[in-house]
Amino acid sequence: MTKAAEEDQQQPPTLAADVATPPRGAPVSVFPGESGPPPASPTGRLPRVESLTGLRWWAAFFVFCHHMTNLAPLPIFRFLKYGTSGVTFFFVLSGFVLTWSAQPGTKIRTFYRRRFARIVPLYLFTLLLAFFVFYRVDPPAGMSWIKPISVTVLVLSVFLLHGWSNNPDILYGGNPAGWTLSVEAFFYAYFPFVWRATRTLKTAGGLILCVAVIGLGGAYRLALFHYKDVVPVLPQPVLHSVAFLFGIGLAIALRSGWKPRIPVWFAFGVTIGGLLLLWYSGSHPAKVPFAITMGLCQKEILTLLYGFLILAVASRDMRGGRSLLRSRPLVALGQWSYAFYLIHATILYAIKEYHGVAGPIGWSNLTWYAGVLIISIFASWLLYKFVERPMERKLRGPR
């Protein structure tokens, strides 16, 4: 799952530190209600939207809650299954952040090198750790998550190609969370060309791009359902491009000076309400109009929900509004969220192998959530401090 591939808002791919960069926790815009494009630094770079770093943590935590249902199910375990949607949030966020921080003078090879430095070293390290949890020469009976060693699957995982297969044994091969990195690698491959094609667009163009990709994505889902013998099943990197391109469109609109005044509390309410509606319509389709259509177009609906939340948070930061998401604890957790995403399932299933399922469904399982969460956060801090950041600094090269 997830991340993973979230972007490091503390140091975005093309954002160099300079005197105009606000300190951690500071508002990213000087004057509330200012009009026109957001103020840039003397080097032409746009200000950080640091609340998105804190928001990243909550998306990673939602994914964690989904995976924990396999070890310690809560009474709301059916709703927590929607934690998988955290990856859609990351895909929208990735398109937004890359576009927000993109600079016209950045060479394509420089962009690729920085993306490699950002995601690959930690991914390979956690892939090695995951191998000892998810693979055996002779897998034990009754533990379906442990698979026989497959050189083909592992090689595809190393080169981030496993996401192109819809075979679960391949798609979730290696580190099961790593399939999203395969998707992100595809996004990174074509982003420089999309950026060059869209960088002259203004607010209207960005919003049209958002509407177009949502429409195309929904039309494909419905066509696949009604004409399954004719319409091919697309691989995951192509399917999830809807969310990535949607994020690009949002960033284009905001870069052009659009600052919609959407209360963040309202955006959170809409997002949570939308998730509850999707869950309820899936559980009681006869009671909700268009429930089947909503289920078929679930990814596009999630893209809209998470895009709306990102838009509200980013526009508030641009206006200089206060934000708990910029607090030091949440910014730190957001910085560790990539490592957290890649390691938490490995820790969880290692515990499950030696202990088994925590027990029957019940709220008492919250103690397991707390324990595994603390272990996973500590592990993610270690990975961030001693693997992710040192390797990224070493491989990024000159800014």
Side-chain angles (χ1 to χ4, degrees), residues 66-352:
H66 157 65
H67 285 154
M68 277 297 295
T69 61
N70 296 297
L71 173 66
L74 298 177
I76 57 171
F77 72 93
R78 289 187 177 86
F79 173 74
L80 292 180
K81 293 292 184 181
Y82 281 86
T84 58
S85 69
V87 302
T88 300
F89 171 88
F90 286 131
F91 293 151
V92 178
L93 183 64
S94 184
F96 183 94
V97 172
L98 287 178
T99 304
W100 183 262
S101 59
Q103 294 296 306
T106 302
K107 296 179 180 179
I108 292 179
R109 65 174 178 270
T110 300
F111 172 81
Y112 288 156
R113 185 184 69 245
R114 290 174 177 175
R115 293 296 88 208
F116 179 91
R118 176 69 183 93
I119 70 169
V120 173
L122 181 62
Y123 166 72
L124 292 179
F125 187 83
T126 55
L127 175 62
L128 178 62
L129 298 178
F131 173 81
F132 294 102
V133 173
F134 295 104
Y135 287 90
R136 300 285 193 283
V137 174
D138 185 20
M143 297 184 181
S144 58
W145 64 92
I146 301 178
K147 300 174 284 290
I149 295 174
S150 169
V151 174
T152 300
V153 172
L154 293 175
V155 169
L156 289 174
S157 299
V158 167
F159 289 98
L160 292 173
L161 296 173
H162 54 309
W164 289 90
S165 173
N166 286 320
N167 180 339
D169 291 336
I170 298 176
L171 178 63
Y172 303 115
N175 182 344
W179 71 270
T180 58
L181 275 298
S182 183
V183 174
E184 285 279 356
F186 178 60
F187 296 163
Y188 296 161
Y190 69 71
F191 174 77
F193 306 100
V194 174
W195 162 244
R196 289 184 177 185
T198 61
R199 68 185 182 186
T200 59
L201 294 179
K202 301 302 180 183
T203 298
L207 295 179
I208 289 172
L209 175 60
C210 290
V211 173
V213 295
I214 288 293
L216 287 173
Y220 168 78
R221 303 281 184 181
L222 295 175
L224 182 63
F225 176 75
H226 292 290
Y227 307 102
K228 56 176 65 72
D229 295 332
V230 178
V231 179
V233 178
L234 298 175
Q236 297 299 318
V238 178
L239 289 175
H240 287 288
S241 287
V242 169
F244 182 70
L245 293 170
F246 189 88
I248 290 176
L250 285 181
I252 289 172
L254 289 180
R255 283 179 66 112
S256 301
W258 185 46
K259 298 185 184 70
R261 290 185 172 275
I262 305 169
V264 172
W265 65 263
F266 176 73
F268 269 105
V270 169
T271 303
I272 295 171
L275 289 169
L276 289 170
L277 179 60
L278 286 173
W279 162 73
Y280 187 80
S281 65
S283 302
H284 307 88
K287 297 181 179 180
V288 180
F290 306 107
I292 295 177
T293 301
M294 290 170 58
L296 293 173
C297 299
Q298 184 177 121
K299 289 291 190 295
E300 285 66 40
I301 294 173
L302 290 168
T303 296
L304 285 170
L305 291 174
Y306 288 132
F308 183 64
L309 181 58
I310 290 170
L311 174 64
V313 170
S315 61
R316 179 183 62 183
D317 272 21
M318 289 168 58
R319 296 193 306 269
R322 294 179 179 274
S323 175
L324 180 63
L325 294 170
R326 287 199 303 268
S327 65
R328 287 183 179 274
L330 280 178
V331 168
L333 288 170
Q335 290 174 330
W336 306 341
S337 63
Y338 179 43
F340 178 84
Y341 171 74
L342 287 176
I343 197 62
H344 77 268
T346 299
I347 293 172
L348 184 157
Y349 279 99
I351 293 172
K352 185 176 179 179

